[in-house]
Amino acid sequence: MPNAFFGIGALAIPQVVIQFGLGSVYYLARRFSGSLVPAMILHRLWDFSTFSSNVPYAGLAAPFIGAAAVIVVVVILCRDKRRA
């Protein structure tokens, strides 16, 4: 949230929501896999899509990575529901 006061203003709100969602995905990947590696891989993919956005067309990967993260969450939650 410091970006709201010292940086990008109101655009910090969606940034916080996105980061909260990604953090939740990473936590679920860690919790249900029993390993930190899946969360690290997802984080690396997200960073790649973010930092390569200056390269033409490389930023197009972000929506696919976001969709992959949602799919990971759905799969993990379905597996957890079956276990219970």
Side-chain angles (χ1 to χ4, degrees), residues 16-31:
V16 168
V17 171
I18 290 169
Q19 294 309 314
F20 175 79
L22 285 171
S24 298
V25 168
Y26 301 152
Y27 166 73
L28 289 171
R30 161 64 179 98
R31 180 174 177 199

Side-chain angles (χ1 to χ4, degrees), residues 1-19:
M1 283 306 287
N3 283 347
F5 302 108
F6 303 116
I8 60 176
L11 291 175
I13 306 254
Q15 183 183 35
V16 168
V17 171
I18 290 169
Q19 294 309 314

Side-chain angles (χ1 to χ4, degrees), residues 26-66:
Y26 301 152
Y27 166 73
L28 289 171
R30 161 64 179 98
R31 180 174 177 199
F32 291 105
S33 70
S35 172
L36 191 58
V37 174
M40 291 169 59
I41 291 170
L42 288 172
H43 193 288
R44 176 63 187 119
L45 289 171
W46 180 260
D47 284 351
F48 172 76
S49 72
T50 302
F51 296 130
S52 66
S53 63
N54 293 334
V55 178
Y57 305 111
L60 296 175
F64 296 109
I65 294 170

